[in-house]
Amino acid sequence: MDYHRNYRPCPTFFVEEEYGMESRIRQERQAKQEHEKQMARERQYVMADELSNLTSEQLRDDVLSHMLEMDNQTLPDVESIDIQTEIQWFMRPYLLDFLIEAHTAFQLLPSTLFLAINLLDRYCSKRVVYKRHYQLVGCAALLIAAKYNDKKDRVPTIKELKSMCCSLYDDDMFTQMEWHVLQTLGWSIGHPTVDAFLQHAVLDDAYDPEVEHMALYILEIALFHRDFVAKLSSELARAALALSRCILNRPQPRHTHWSSQYDSMTLVALSQQLHQPSTVVARKYASAHYSRVSKVMEHFLNRQASLATYARCTPPVETPIESKPYNGEIGLATPQKSQQLTAIPHGYLTPPITPDNEALVHAHTQMANHDMNRGMPTVHHGCSPSPVPSAEMQYMNSEAYQQQQEAMYMAQQASLQQFPLAPTHMGMSQTYQGGM
């Protein structure tokens, strides 16, 4: 009882409750202000996009002409890279695999990768690069390209690049190489990359992410090959876009469109390098973020290979040659007998076609009369012809037909034994001796 009588509430209880309400109100007010700022920022983005679209439609031709001019001015020289003393072309895929993995890890823009490779090739065109510094030059080019294109929070730090290089280079070496690359290129970093021309080519088309991802996949494969180092970005972009549309069975644009004016030789050269892509690039474009276009490409190539194998194994279809009637020309055609084939209702095969009986008997009669006039006995030249069945003759079974053929053969042998053979034109007489 004394406990309840002497109980007094703590005076700080109400103070804490009031402080909690004030902090909650303050948080709600801050959240409202942040929401209003976000909405205002979104409205600014929408207005900027609308103004940009209006400006791009009006200045699209001027922008394209400027991009084409810059594309010619910022191309690397392949012949200068060929005369490098230490770095060779077989080292290029290893460095590109490293840069692509770093580019993917930092989630940089696609244009950053293509710009970094352009800076690397342009530097190698003007400076002698040692083998031990090749990776350092690639990291410096990636760092410059990221600072030029991406947001500040996406740009890799020197410590991160040093960690990816397994601490092979010091911090000062990255800074010195970055400055040396910029000085060598005359601080001229801007280069219209292939993805910029690709975006310009699909500006008037409906958005098709699979086609764009396939074109980017083809363009990244082209980075590994020497033949495309000195190619214009505009030519590569248009050829890769046309090839991706062919692979995905998409319609090509009309002939008046800028993207339809691609180089067929460049397209063929790109298609010949699709069979063995880099493992890093194939794994990158096998993700759902890039529409799994590497898997689509693999299925397409396997289907094309199977069709080519089937075409090689299938014999060609021979077109029947139509025989022409013989008109007495020498060496033009062989005399052909008109085919008078009788239908076979029971499926038995007919004997080979022989000359008509009447014509053959008439020829034998003339030869016999000629021999009698010369005082020679009548000779049967060879075997007598097999009879041609008349239209009224019924088809016999195989046993009856065989018996008939045996009887005919015996009659022919008996007739040959009665008469000697006629002398030959060389004056030699031959007598049939009863056997062949």
Side-chain angles (χ1 to χ4, degrees):
M1 296 297 292
D2 295 339
Y3 174 77
H4 291 287
R5 187 180 300 116
N6 297 328
Y7 173 75
R8 295 288 185 274
C10 180
T12 61
F13 174 76
F14 299 100
V15 176
E16 292 179 356
E17 183 179 1
E18 291 178 359
Y19 179 76
M21 292 179 61
E22 290 179 359
S23 64
R24 194 182 311 100
I25 293 173
R26 190 181 304 108
Q27 291 177 359
E28 292 178 354
R29 188 182 298 110
Q30 291 178 356
K32 185 177 180 180
Q33 291 177 356
E34 290 294 334
H35 179 69
E36 291 177 354
K37 290 181 180 179
Q38 185 68 23
M39 295 298 296
R41 191 178 298 111
E42 293 294 334
R43 286 194 294 268
Q44 291 177 359
Y45 289 156
V46 171
M47 293 175 61
D49 290 340
E50 292 178 355
L51 293 175
S52 178
N53 292 332
L54 292 175
T55 306
S56 63
E57 291 179 359
Q58 297 175 358
L59 304 176
R60 182 181 301 180
D61 295 337
D62 296 337
V63 171
L64 180 60
S65 61
H66 179 67
M67 290 173 61
L68 293 174
E69 183 180 357
M70 289 183 62
D71 193 12
N72 285 280
Q73 294 176 356
T74 55
L75 278 180
D77 187 7
V78 181
E79 296 180 356
S80 299
I81 302 178
D82 290 336
I83 62 176
Q84 287 282 347
T85 56
E86 290 197 10
I87 62 172
Q88 303 296 329
W89 286 107
F90 72 87
M91 303 177 186
R92 183 182 181 86
Y94 299 98
L95 179 60
L96 291 188
D97 285 340
F98 169 78
L99 293 178
I100 290 173
E101 287 183 341
H103 174 269
T104 306
F106 294 119
Q107 298 180 357
L108 303 176
L109 294 175
S111 58
T112 302
L113 176 64
F114 294 107
L115 179 59
I117 305 302
N118 176 261
L119 296 176
L120 171 66
D121 293 334
R122 288 163 60 189
Y123 179 82
C124 294
S125 301
K126 297 182 178 181
R127 295 289 184 179
V128 176
V129 181
Y130 295 105
K131 187 191 306 182
R132 61 183 182 273
H133 294 157
Y134 196 29
Q135 187 178 15
L136 181 61
V137 176
C139 291
L142 182 65
L143 183 60
I144 296 171
K147 290 180 179 179
Y148 185 82
N149 272 334
D150 281 272
K151 296 181 180 179
K152 186 177 181 180
D153 56 346
R154 296 289 182 88
V155 177
T157 62
I158 294 179
K159 292 183 178 180
E160 291 173 338
L161 292 175
K162 179 181 177 180
S163 176
M164 296 192 70
C165 295
C166 301
S167 301
L168 184 62
Y169 310 105
D170 297 332
D171 296 351
D172 296 337
M173 298 180 68
F174 286 95
T175 305
Q176 292 177 6
M177 183 57 69
E178 179 184 2
W179 177 83
H180 197 262
V181 170
L182 291 172
Q183 188 183 27
T184 301
L185 302 181
W187 298 82
S188 177
I189 305 172
H191 168 72
T193 56
V194 288
D195 66 299
F197 285 105
L198 183 63
Q199 294 298 324
H200 188 276
V202 299
L203 196 60
D204 295 332
D205 301 334
Y207 178 62
D208 193 345
E210 194 173 11
V211 171
E212 296 184 19
H213 293 158
M214 182 65 75
L216 287 175
Y217 179 47
I218 296 172
L219 291 171
E220 286 198 23
I221 294 175
L223 292 175
F224 288 77
H225 302 280
R226 176 188 179 278
D227 297 337
F228 306 108
V229 171
K231 280 284 186 180
L232 293 173
S233 299
S234 57
E235 293 183 3
L236 287 173
R238 286 181 289 184
L241 182 60
L243 183 57
S244 64
R245 285 169 174 167
C246 292
I247 294 173
L248 298 174
N249 198 17
R250 299 292 199 275
Q252 297 290 342
R254 57 184 182 273
H255 297 289
T256 57
H257 200 272
W258 178 78
S259 62
S260 64
Q261 303 169 7
Y262 59 87
D263 184 18
S264 59
M265 298 300 296
T266 305
L267 187 145
V268 172
L270 287 174
S271 64
Q272 293 174 351
Q273 305 296 340
L274 303 179
H275 299 280
Q276 294 180 347
S278 170
T279 306
V280 175
V281 180
R283 184 173 64 249
K284 172 183 175 181
Y285 283 90
S287 62
H289 180 71
Y290 290 102
S291 306
R292 296 185 175 89
V293 290
S294 63
K295 297 295 182 181
V296 177
M297 174 77 74
E298 184 179 358
H299 295 329
F300 173 79
L301 295 177
N302 292 336
R303 185 168 63 252
Q304 293 295 320
S306 61
L307 291 175
T309 304
Y310 177 78
R312 287 196 299 268
C313 296
T314 305
V317 180
E318 296 183 358
T319 306
I321 300 175
E322 183 180 359
S323 60
K324 298 180 180 180
Y326 181 66
N327 297 325
E329 299 88 353
I330 299 176
L332 296 178
T334 305
Q336 299 290 333
K337 179 182 180 297
S338 60
Q339 298 181 357
Q340 298 177 356
L341 300 179
T342 308
I344 307 176
H346 299 289
Y348 294 110
L349 295 176
T350 57
I353 300 174
T354 56
D356 298 334
N357 283 351
E358 296 180 1
L360 189 62
V361 170
H362 179 68
H364 273 272
T365 304
Q366 290 182 353
M367 292 175 65
N369 296 334
H370 181 69
D371 292 340
M372 290 178 65
N373 294 333
R374 296 175 56 187
M376 296 182 181
T378 304
V379 179
H380 296 275
H381 297 274
C383 301
S384 60
S386 58
V388 178
S390 59
E392 295 80 14
M393 181 179 179
Q394 298 295 331
Y395 287 90
M396 300 177 293
N397 55 20
S398 59
E399 295 181 358
Y401 178 76
Q402 184 176 2
Q403 293 176 2
Q404 182 184 8
Q405 294 296 325
E406 291 178 355
M408 291 172 56
Y409 177 77
M410 295 301 295
Q412 293 170 2
Q413 295 295 329
S415 62
L416 287 173
Q417 292 178 2
Q418 295 178 3
F419 302 98
L421 292 176
T424 60
H425 64 280
M426 297 178 63
M428 299 175 61
S429 61
Q430 297 179 356
T431 305
Y432 183 73
Q433 302 296 330
M436 295 296 292

